[in-house]
Amino acid sequence: LSLSREDIYCIATALEEDIKLVTDDQNMIETCKEFGVTVLSTLQLLKLMLDNERIDNTTVKQIVDYWKYKNDLPANFKIEFNTLFHLK
């Protein structure tokens, strides 16, 4: 697994502070599993923020549109998005 110094710092901080880490990086996710760090994907974070009325559907759409524009959709985007946001 290849992790940057920043990745390692984030994982260590999440482990030490017992907080969730938000990432879509597959290497970070695998490392977090090894160390027992809870991970949320960016889509899971968006859903959590939507459910708690911190953002609205328009904001979710804007973020997704930006990811599409930058050609930077998270891994497994379509399946995870449809599952979390109940689309068919």
Side-chain angles (χ1 to χ4, degrees):
L1 296 176
S2 176
L3 297 172
S4 70
R5 179 176 46 211
E6 291 79 9
D7 294 342
I8 294 167
Y9 177 79
C10 289
I11 293 168
T13 300
L15 182 62
E16 179 66 25
E17 298 296 327
D18 194 28
I19 57 175
K20 295 175 184 172
L21 184 106
V22 178
T23 185
D24 292 311
D25 182 282
Q26 297 302 307
N27 288 332
M28 286 184 70
I29 292 168
E30 288 301 317
T31 303
C32 285
K33 285 180 186 176
E34 291 293 321
F35 286 95
V37 173
T38 302
V39 175
L40 292 177
S41 69
T42 52
L43 286 172
Q44 289 171 320
L45 177 61
L46 288 178
K47 178 66 171 148
L48 179 65
M49 292 170 69
L50 181 66
D51 290 347
N52 287 282
E53 300 178 352
R54 300 295 183 218
I55 60 173
D56 58 19
N57 283 321
T58 300
T59 304
V60 172
K61 183 178 181 334
Q62 289 171 340
I63 292 168
V64 169
D65 286 345
Y66 180 75
W67 287 341
K68 287 178 181 177
Y69 171 76
K70 296 298 281 182
N71 195 27
D72 194 26
L73 290 172
N76 304 314
F77 170 80
K78 189 173 184 176
I79 293 169
E80 187 175 7
F81 185 85
N82 292 343
T83 299
L84 289 170
F85 295 94
H86 306 292
L87 300 177
K88 296 180 180 170

